[in-house]
Amino acid sequence: MLLFQDDFKNFAIGEFPYDPDHSAMGEYHCVTEEGYAGAWKDQVCNYTYNGHGPSWMITEEDGSHYMESCRIEKDNPHRMFPTLQTGSLLWRDYDVQVRLRRLSTKGMAGLAFCMNDSIDTLVFSLEGRSQVRLSWRHKEEVQVLAAAPWKWDCDSFHSLRASCRGSHVECFLDGEKVLEADTPLAARGGKIGITADCPTQFTDVSVQVSEETAAAIEEAGRLQAAEEARLQAAFPAMKLCRKLDLGNCGGGRQIRFGHLTGTKEWFAVIPQAQKRVDGDAYGHISCLTAVRLSDGAVLWQKGEPSLQAARLGKISADLPLQVYDIDGDGKDEVITARNFRILILDGATGEVKKSARTPYSDDDDRTVIGAPFGIYAFDRINPDGIRIANFRGLDRPSDILIKDRYCRVYALDSDLNLMWKYKSPKNTGHFPMAVDVNGDGHDELLCGYTLLDCHGSPIWTYPIEDDHTDEIVAGKFMAGSGKGYFACVSGTEGFFIGDFQGRIRMRDRIGHAQRVSVGNYCPDREGFEIAVSNFWGHQGVIYLYDCFGNPLWEMENEKNGNLLAPVNWTGDGQDLILTNPDPKAGGLLDGQGRRAVAFPDDGHPVMCCEVLDLWGDDRDELVVWDYQSLWIYTQADGEKETRYHPVKYPMYNASNYRGEYSFPDAEFLTFRESTEQEEE
C-alpha cells in the first residue's frame, strides 16, 4: 500500500524555499521561509551559505522534475548533511525508495529513513566513487553499520530502496540487495528524507507499507491525538487578553519590559535599529518607543520611527538596552546607548538623566576579536549589549556592563564612570554572566569561557579555545551536590556543564548548541532538568537532560525560534517549556516533550515571544509580537492564588542570549564557593 509518493511535479521550476540572508534570526525568532514546500521541510542551514543561493532547487528534463541538491560544503564550521525530510515519527515497517543521479561523485547522496530528526537518522547512501553504506548519523558522529564496494557513475540514475521490518534493514541498489543489518533504530521507525553533500538529482520518492501496517499507523495517530487532547485538557488553555497595534514603531525580539512610572503598570520599550558598516556587527538604535501594555498608548518616543519597521527590526543580535531602577528611586530607568553615548533615561518621560561618551576603541584593531575586515569601524565603542551587575558589592545591583561584539567588556558605575575594562584573548560570547560565586557580595563575571573577579581580573578559564558561548545558566541544579554549576551552550563546542573552579564536568557535542534553560520540567525526577536546542547546521532539535547532564530525550518540531523558556503556567511547581508561538508546531511542552498547551489558531503574530508574570498572581503570561502588533495571552481559568513562586532571570537583564532558569527560591542562586582551581 502506498503511504507517500512525490515526483516533484507539483513544484514549479525554481528554488525550494530558503532564507536568502541565512541569518541568525531563527535563533530566537520564529521565521518561515516564503514559497511552496509541499510536504517537505529543510532543517539544515548555515551562515556560510549567505550569498550562495538555495540548498535545493527544482529542475526539469524531458517532462520529469527533479529535486536537486546544491551544497558541497561539508564540515564548516561543523559536520553538515543537507537533508529534505517528510513524513511522521509514527511511520514504521516500510519500504522507502528514491531514484537519484549524482552529478558529482565527490560526495554522498542517498536516503534518510527511520529519522527521529535531521541529525538522528539512518542513511543508505552512495559514498564517493567506491562504496555503498548504511550508517547512523547522530549529533556530530557517523557510525557505519554496513558497507560494500560499488563502482561510481555520474551519468545514470539509480534506484535506492531501504526495507525495514522490525529491527532488520535490507538495502537494495537497482533491485539488488547490497546491505543488511539489525538495529533497534530501525524498529523505532520515523520520518524519511533525501540527503546529499554533492550535486544530486532526486525524483520518484515513495513509501510503501502493508495494509495492516497502514491501519496500525493510522490508529497510532488517532491515539496520539487523543492523548494530546487529554493532556491539554489537564492544563488551562490560553486566553487572549490584549491586542495592541504597534503602528510604525514595531521591532524584533529586542523589546524590554518594565515599570516606567513607579507603579505596577507594565510598559514595553521597543527599539528600532540601523545596521552600520557590516550587517549586525554595529547595530545602532535609531528610535525608542515606550508603550503602555494595557492599551498600547505611547508614553514617549526618542528618535524617529521608520515606515520600514521590518527592516529596522531585523537585527540578529542584542541591542544596548535595559529597563531597571538603577538609582533606587522606585521607578525604572531606561539604560541604553545611542550615537556613542551611554544614556540613562527617565522611565516616565524619556528625558536624559545621565549621559557619558562610550570608551575609546584604543586597542590594536588586529587584536580585536570579531571586528569585521580586521578593523574596528569607529573611534569609540559601539555597545553590543548591556548587563546590570553588582561589582562594587552594594545593597542592590547598580553597575552597568557594556561590551563590544566579541572581545571587550567595560564596567561602569551608576554615574557612568569607567571602573575597569577587560580585553579577552578568547571570544567573550554574547552575554557574559554576572554572579556572586564566592558569596562576598561582589559579582564575578563568566566572560565567554573565562571567570573574572569583580575588578575584571581573570581567575581561571575553561579549556576551550574556539567559537563562543551563546548562553549561560548558573545554579544549584544538580541534586544532592549543594554546589553551583554553569550550564553553557557554546556553538560548535556543544553543550557543557562546568563547575565554579574551571573544570568541565560533562559535554555533549550536538552540533551548534544555541539555547539553554533549567527548570522543574519533570517534577517526579530529582533535581532540575536542562533543556538545550541547536541552530546552524541541523537546527531546531531540542534536547532534555537530567540534572547531571544525562540525556533524556531529543525531538524536533521542524520550527526555528525555539526559546526553551520555563513557563510557570499552573502555579503548582511544574515548569513547562516554551518553544515558539506557532499554532501547529509551537506551544508549551511538558517534561516528556508533549505539547501540553497550544497557541490558538487565531491569526496572532508568531515571530517573537516572551514569558513574564504581568498580572501578579505568579503565573506567567505569554507576550507574542511581530513588527505590526503585540498580543498577550493568559490562563483561561482566570487569576488565582498559587503556592509556587519561582525565582527567574530578572527582566532587567533581558537578552536574546540569556540562559533561562526557574528555581523555587533564591537559595538555588546563592553561592559560597571557592573559585580557585583544584587538582582532581
Side-chain angles (χ1 to χ4, degrees):
M1 179 177 176
L2 196 62
L3 188 64
F4 175 82
Q5 184 178 37
D6 201 341
D7 58 7
F8 304 112
K9 286 288 185 69
N10 289 332
F11 286 83
I13 303 306
E15 300 171 337
F16 188 87
Y18 74 106
D19 176 10
D21 296 330
H22 295 295
S23 76
M25 290 290 287
E27 291 175 352
Y28 38 81
H29 295 79
C30 186
V31 180
T32 302
E33 294 79 18
E34 296 181 358
Y36 177 73
W40 299 89
K41 182 69 178 180
D42 182 6
Q43 285 295 106
V44 182
C45 186
N46 194 14
Y47 55 80
T48 61
Y49 293 170
N50 191 16
H52 298 289
S55 295
W56 302 86
M57 63 190 302
I58 298 88
T59 58
E60 179 272 342
E61 185 175 14
D62 296 332
S64 294
H65 281 201
Y66 304 104
M67 187 64 72
E68 185 170 319
S69 63
C70 301
R71 298 291 179 208
I72 60 176
E73 293 176 288
K74 297 175 175 63
D75 299 305
N76 181 22
H78 43 73
R79 206 163 199 174
M80 291 176 298
F81 298 98
T83 304
L84 275 188
Q85 62 193 57
T86 190
S88 165
L89 294 177
L90 299 176
W91 288 5
R92 61 194 67 249
D93 292 333
Y94 52 62
D95 284 21
V96 55
Q97 183 166 314
V98 70
R99 200 160 62 91
L100 66 80
R101 174 193 176 193
R102 286 191 303 170
L103 305 179
S104 166
T105 57
K106 299 174 184 176
M108 167 283 308
L111 272 174
F113 60 100
C114 296
M115 177 189 290
N116 182 40
D117 53 60
S118 71
I119 203 171
D120 180 10
T121 184
L122 292 175
V123 178
F124 173 34
S125 58
L126 309 181
E127 299 280 340
R129 298 186 173 188
S130 60
Q131 194 178 72
V132 291
R133 182 183 296 174
L134 173 64
S135 56
W136 176 38
R137 297 179 189 163
H138 191 215
K139 300 174 182 175
E140 290 286 284
E141 302 300 324
V142 176
Q143 179 181 347
V144 178
L145 304 179
W150 179 74
K151 186 177 180 181
W152 67 276
D153 181 4
C154 68
D155 298 317
S156 305
F157 277 90
H158 297 278
S159 174
L160 276 67
R161 176 166 63 92
S163 179
C164 305
R165 297 295 182 273
S167 61
H168 192 66
V169 181
E170 295 180 336
C171 300
F172 298 83
L173 177 60
D174 295 328
E176 178 184 351
K177 185 166 73 173
V178 291
L179 299 171
E180 61 181 318
D182 281 289
T183 169
L185 299 166
R188 74 183 181 182
K191 297 178 283 187
I192 63 103
I194 55 177
T195 180
D197 61 10
C198 60
T200 303
Q201 294 176 326
F202 295 86
T203 192
D204 297 332
V205 182
S206 64
V207 180
Q208 291 190 328
V209 296
S210 68
E211 291 188 2
E212 181 182 9
T213 298
I217 292 172
E218 183 177 358
E219 175 65 8
R222 187 190 67 78
L223 292 175
Q224 184 182 71
E227 174 61 25
E228 183 176 87
R230 284 194 294 270
L231 175 67
Q232 292 181 5
F235 289 87
M238 293 190 195
K239 173 186 176 183
L240 178 65
C241 57
R242 294 286 189 280
K243 185 189 295 188
L244 307 182
D245 182 355
L246 299 181
N248 62 350
C249 65
R253 202 177 174 272
Q254 288 80 14
I255 293 180
R256 305 294 189 248
F257 300 90
H259 303 285
L260 300 183
T261 59
T263 68
K264 293 183 178 181
E265 191 168 28
W266 282 93
F267 292 83
V269 180
I270 308 172
Q272 291 180 341
Q274 295 173 284
K275 301 182 181 185
R276 283 173 159 161
V277 181
D278 182 63
D280 296 336
Y282 304 103
H284 163 63
I285 292 178
S286 57
C287 183
L288 283 176
T289 306
V291 174
R292 188 163 53 206
L293 288 187
S294 60
D295 58 7
V298 173
L299 182 66
W300 52 261
Q301 191 169 74
K302 299 285 287 188
E304 185 174 335
S306 173
L307 296 176
Q308 298 178 327
R311 292 180 61 85
L312 299 189
K314 195 175 183 180
I315 301 290
S316 59
D318 264 345
L319 291 174
L321 176 64
Q322 297 295 355
V323 174
Y324 177 61
D325 182 9
I326 192 72
D327 57 13
D329 67 351
K331 295 189 299 182
D332 283 342
E333 281 75 43
V334 175
I335 304 162
T336 186
R338 190 166 184 241
N339 241 1
F340 308 103
R341 284 185 176 274
I342 303 294
L343 303 171
I344 299 178
L345 307 180
D346 184 285
T349 66
E351 296 302 313
V352 176
K353 297 179 72 170
K354 293 180 182 178
S355 171
R357 296 191 184 276
T358 61
Y360 281 113
S361 177
D362 52 7
D363 298 288
D364 184 338
D365 285 353
R366 295 170 295 181
T367 68
V368 177
I369 297 170
F373 316 113
I375 300 172
Y376 195 79
F378 306 105
D379 278 4
R380 290 189 180 274
I381 296 299
N382 185 91
D384 177 73
I386 288 177
R387 171 183 276 282
I388 307 302
N390 192 6
F391 300 120
R392 289 179 289 167
L394 303 179
D395 291 339
R396 57 193 300 276
S398 300
D399 302 322
I400 300 169
L401 186 80
I402 65 171
K403 62 183 286 288
D404 67 6
R405 186 70 162 151
Y406 290 126
C407 187
R408 296 166 292 188
V409 296
Y410 303 81
L412 312 176
D413 65 21
S414 53
D415 291 320
L416 305 181
N417 298 307
L418 179 65
M419 297 189 296
W420 52 261
K421 166 194 172 183
Y422 173 69
K423 180 174 177 286
S424 178
K426 298 182 181 181
N427 196 302
T428 60
H430 287 285
F431 200 54
M433 164 67 79
V435 59
D436 182 6
V437 169
N438 56 19
D440 66 353
H442 300 256
D443 280 346
E444 283 72 42
L445 186 75
L446 184 58
C447 184
Y449 306 117
T450 302
L451 188 71
L452 308 180
D453 67 17
C454 62
H455 305 294
S457 299
I459 301 173
W460 50 253
T461 187
Y462 287 124
I464 303 176
E465 301 296 327
D466 299 326
D467 213 322
H468 62 257
T469 297
D470 283 298
E471 296 187 354
I472 307 166
V473 175
K476 297 176 182 176
F477 47 77
M478 280 196 191
S481 73
K483 290 172 60 73
Y485 294 90
F486 292 116
C488 304
V489 285
S490 299
T492 57
E493 296 300 311
F495 160 58
F496 72 89
I497 296 175
D499 64 22
F500 286 177
Q501 292 76 43
R503 296 170 297 196
I504 295 175
R505 293 303 188 178
M506 67 77 59
R507 193 169 180 181
D508 194 3
R509 294 184 179 272
I510 60 171
H512 185 106
Q514 185 63 47
R515 302 198 66 93
V516 60
S517 71
V518 175
N520 189 21
Y521 299 130
C522 302
D524 56 332
R525 285 185 168 272
E526 61 177 355
F528 299 86
E529 289 70 48
I530 306 167
V532 173
S533 68
N534 63 8
F535 197 71
W536 298 127
H538 296 256
Q539 62 191 21
V541 182
I542 300 171
Y543 301 86
L544 194 72
Y545 302 83
D546 69 14
C547 63
F548 305 106
N550 300 309
L552 298 176
W553 51 258
E554 65 183 85
M555 59 91 71
E556 174 187 68
N557 64 3
E558 297 187 339
K559 282 287 182 181
N560 52 33
N562 295 304
L563 298 184
L564 305 190
V567 181
N568 178 26
W569 191 250
T570 55
D572 61 1
Q574 178 183 6
D575 293 308
L576 299 178
I577 305 169
L578 171 63
T579 55
N580 61 72
D582 186 85
K584 294 181 179 179
L588 309 182
L589 304 181
D590 69 3
Q592 298 182 50
R594 304 173 300 179
R595 189 163 64 157
V597 183
F599 279 92
D601 193 1
D602 55 2
H604 66 268
V606 299
M607 186 178 75
C608 303
C609 193
E610 185 60 274
V611 181
L612 64 161
D613 174 23
L614 289 174
W615 311 142
D617 66 350
D618 286 306
R619 294 195 300 175
D620 290 324
E621 278 67 50
L622 301 172
V623 185
V624 300
W625 71 92
D626 58 16
Y627 303 123
Q628 289 78 42
S629 63
L630 181 149
W631 296 23
I632 302 173
Y633 290 94
T634 191
Q635 296 81 5
D637 61 353
E639 296 183 33
K640 57 175 56 178
E641 291 186 11
T642 64
R643 59 181 176 85
Y644 185 56
H645 311 288
V647 176
K648 293 194 169 193
Y649 215 117
M651 288 305 300
Y652 61 74
N653 271 327
S655 170
N656 286 319
Y657 300 97
R658 69 179 196 185
E660 304 279 1
Y661 57 78
S662 179
F663 294 120
D665 56 62
E667 176 58 29
F668 290 90
L669 295 166
T670 303
F671 313 110
R672 300 170 186 85
E673 296 189 31
S674 170
T675 58
E676 294 183 7
Q677 289 189 302
E678 305 168 357
E679 296 294 333
E680 291 284 1

